[in-house]
């Protein structure tokens, strides 16, 4: 599943798919394959299930013929060739037997409910395929032209809170990929501002060079400049790494950028230590590895791996403590926030967040009154 998912991602990432869209036919065939696509950030906007009685499908398949000269497919009853010469040279398609057809149908029926459960219900449509092709096409076309219905916020403004190692980056990437949100990391935003030699970046670099905390008002200015851009206003955004205190949360709301969804990713310290302390970096290739979940492919590479000082256990404990200190007052401020168990498979965590995202907005606001 993951190998095919990687191949699909590579193909879908190409310019023609980005410009014109794409269509997968006959894939995924199992729930695992459907989840693998999502793990690679591939989310179909529309999912069409064409259904017909098994008896009809067997009849259709058994009547298929192929022209070995051109590769064209015909059907002896529904779509016969016009030329007698073509008719004479037609051959049965490969593995054309009723036993093989029923075996494939059995596999389909065993897996279809799992596939449906893995995809968002708002993107699916079951269409009766036991009717003329023109009628099937009309129904599919009508479905594709419909705007997706959702009770999620029109323009999601999402904040992900959690200690380092809780999976904020992974969940932000999944949300951005599926819903088209702008993915904003406060740490990366500061680095980019400094690299660009922007006015606010130069102000922050002065403090960073002296190993001093950057004042909240300067950090907020950097963030507000980004949130105020057109893509954030039209697509929505998912933010991580900010706010880190109640004062910062209040300042963000006062600046006009209050979130309409806040999720706290809850993860035990032991799990965080396991995730971070076993991370390694290859100084030759720059590749990132994990000794348990993503080990290096060779013993030679394993010997040269290095540990980031930030991933030392003592440093991790300090980070967790720094996160937990203002946690209670942050949760008190964001009264409609929701806590998500992040000590699970990343996709399971994403399903939990997505389920909360599409629920109607609570009557109370996310900031304290």
């Amino acid at each position: 599943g993951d190998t095919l998912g990687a191949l699909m991602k590579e193909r879908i990432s190409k310019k023609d798919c980005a410009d014109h869209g794409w269509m997968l036919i006959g894939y995924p065939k199992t729930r695992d394959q459907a989840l693998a696509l999502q793990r690679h950030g591939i989310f179909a906007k529309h999912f069409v299930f064409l259904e017909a009685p098994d008896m009809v499908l067997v009849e259709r398949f058994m009547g298929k013929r192929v022209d070995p000269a051109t590769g064209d497919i015909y059907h002896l009853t529904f779509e016969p060739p016009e030329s007698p010469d073509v008719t004479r040279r037609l051959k049965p398609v490969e593995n054309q037997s009723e036993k093989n057809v029923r075996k494939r149908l059995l596999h389909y029926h065993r897996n279809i409910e799992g596939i449906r459960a893995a995809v968002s219900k708002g993107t699916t449509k079951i269409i009766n395929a036991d009717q003329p092709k023109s009628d099937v096409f009309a129904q599919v076309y009508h479905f594709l032209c419909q705007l997706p219905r959702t009770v999620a916020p029109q323009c999601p403004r999402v904040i992900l809170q959690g200690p380092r190692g809780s999976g904020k980056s992974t969940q932000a990437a999944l949300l951005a990929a599926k819903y088209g949100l702008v993915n904003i990391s406060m740490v990366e935003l500061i680095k980019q501002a400094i690299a660009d030699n922007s006015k606010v970046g130069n102000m922050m670099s002065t403090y960073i060079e002296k190993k001093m905390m950057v004042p909240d008002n300067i950090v907020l200015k950097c963030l507000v400049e980004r949130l105020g851009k057109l893509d954030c206003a039209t697509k929505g955004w998912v933010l991580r790494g900010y706010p880190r205190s109640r004062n910062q949360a209040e300042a963000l709301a006062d600046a006009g950028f209050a979130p309409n969804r806040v999720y706290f990713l809850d993860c035990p310290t032991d799990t965080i230590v396991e995730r971070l302390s076993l991370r390694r970096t290859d100084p030759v290739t720059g590749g990132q590895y994990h000794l348990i979940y993503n080990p290096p492919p060779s013993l030679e590479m394993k010997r040269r791996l290095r540990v980031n000082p930030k991933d030392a256990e003592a440093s991790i404990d300090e980070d967790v403590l720094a996160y937990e200190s203002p946690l209670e007052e942050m949760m008190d401020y964001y009264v409609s926030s929701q806590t998500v168990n992040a000590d699970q498979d990343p996709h399971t965590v994403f399903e939990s967040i997505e389920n909360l995202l599409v629920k109607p907005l609570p009557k109370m606001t996310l900031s304290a009154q």
Side-chain angles (χ1 to χ4, degrees), residues 4-300:
L4 284 174
L7 291 173
M8 295 288 185
K9 181 177 182 179
E10 180 181 353
R11 181 63 186 90
I12 288 172
S13 300
K14 293 189 176 180
K15 188 176 185 300
D16 57 347
C17 289
D19 291 343
H20 304 294
W22 48 269
M23 178 172 61
L24 285 178
I25 302 174
Y27 189 90
K29 297 181 183 295
T30 66
R31 173 180 167 84
D32 287 343
Q33 290 178 350
L35 298 180
L37 288 178
Q38 295 177 20
R39 284 195 292 272
H40 286 280
I42 301 172
F43 297 92
K45 291 183 178 179
H46 300 87
F47 220 113
V48 178
F49 295 93
L50 300 179
E51 296 206 338
D54 285 3
M55 181 178 64
V56 173
L57 298 175
V58 171
E59 180 186 359
R60 288 180 180 179
F61 190 78
M62 294 305 295
K64 279 186 177 182
R65 295 294 185 270
V66 61
D67 182 352
T70 64
D72 293 335
I73 301 293
Y74 297 92
H75 193 281
L76 297 179
T77 303
F78 306 119
E79 197 173 356
E82 296 179 0
S83 169
D85 292 336
V86 175
T87 302
R88 281 191 291 271
R89 65 174 182 249
L90 292 181
K91 302 290 184 185
V93 297
E94 187 177 357
N95 295 324
Q96 188 178 38
S97 70
E98 185 171 341
K99 180 180 178 180
N100 287 334
V101 177
R102 294 195 178 280
K103 184 178 179 181
R104 290 166 61 183
L105 286 171
L106 180 62
H107 181 270
Y108 173 82
H109 291 311
R110 283 174 174 171
N111 289 280
I112 189 61
E113 292 305 322
I115 296 172
R116 286 177 182 158
V119 298
S120 175
K121 291 180 175 59
T123 66
T124 62
K125 179 73 172 178
I126 300 174
I127 293 176
N128 176 22
D130 187 16
Q131 54 183 327
K133 287 191 295 184
S134 58
D135 293 342
V136 176
F137 174 79
Q139 292 181 43
V140 173
Y141 182 74
H142 176 72
F143 172 61
L144 296 181
C145 291
Q146 288 180 328
L147 293 174
R149 294 183 180 181
T150 175
V151 291
Q154 290 281 332
C155 188
R157 301 186 299 274
V158 182
I159 286 180
L160 296 180
Q161 291 282 345
R164 188 165 66 94
S166 60
K168 299 189 298 295
S169 299
T170 299
Q171 299 307 318
L174 290 170
L175 285 169
K178 181 162 187 178
Y179 293 100
L181 309 182
V182 179
N183 187 355
I184 300 174
S185 162
M186 193 67 240
V187 173
E188 295 303 319
L189 195 60
I190 291 173
K191 290 179 180 178
Q192 188 62 51
I194 294 173
D196 292 342
N197 287 321
S198 64
K199 183 177 178 181
V200 69
N202 290 333
M203 294 169 63
M204 291 188 292
S205 65
T206 301
Y207 289 92
I208 293 173
E209 288 170 359
K210 296 178 181 178
K211 297 184 178 180
M212 298 170 61
M213 290 289 293
V214 180
D216 284 353
N217 64 315
I218 299 178
V219 174
L220 180 63
K221 181 177 176 62
C222 177
L223 178 58
V224 166
E225 285 183 3
R226 182 66 188 93
L227 295 179
K229 291 188 176 180
L230 182 61
D231 58 348
C232 288
T234 56
K235 297 179 180 179
W237 42 265
V238 53
L239 171 65
R240 51 200 162 87
Y242 191 94
R244 298 190 177 187
S245 68
R246 179 169 180 146
N247 288 339
Q248 289 183 349
E250 292 174 345
L252 183 62
D254 292 341
F257 295 100
N260 48 34
R261 291 289 189 271
V262 176
Y263 303 116
F264 287 87
L265 303 186
D266 184 39
C267 196
T269 302
D270 289 347
T271 300
I272 293 172
V273 170
E274 180 185 274
R275 289 177 180 178
L276 298 180
S277 65
L278 298 179
R279 293 196 305 192
R280 299 290 186 271
T281 302
D282 183 354
V284 177
T285 65
Q288 301 287 327
Y289 298 93
H290 191 281
L291 297 184
I292 295 177
Y293 305 121
N294 182 31
S298 67
L299 183 61
E300 178 185 357

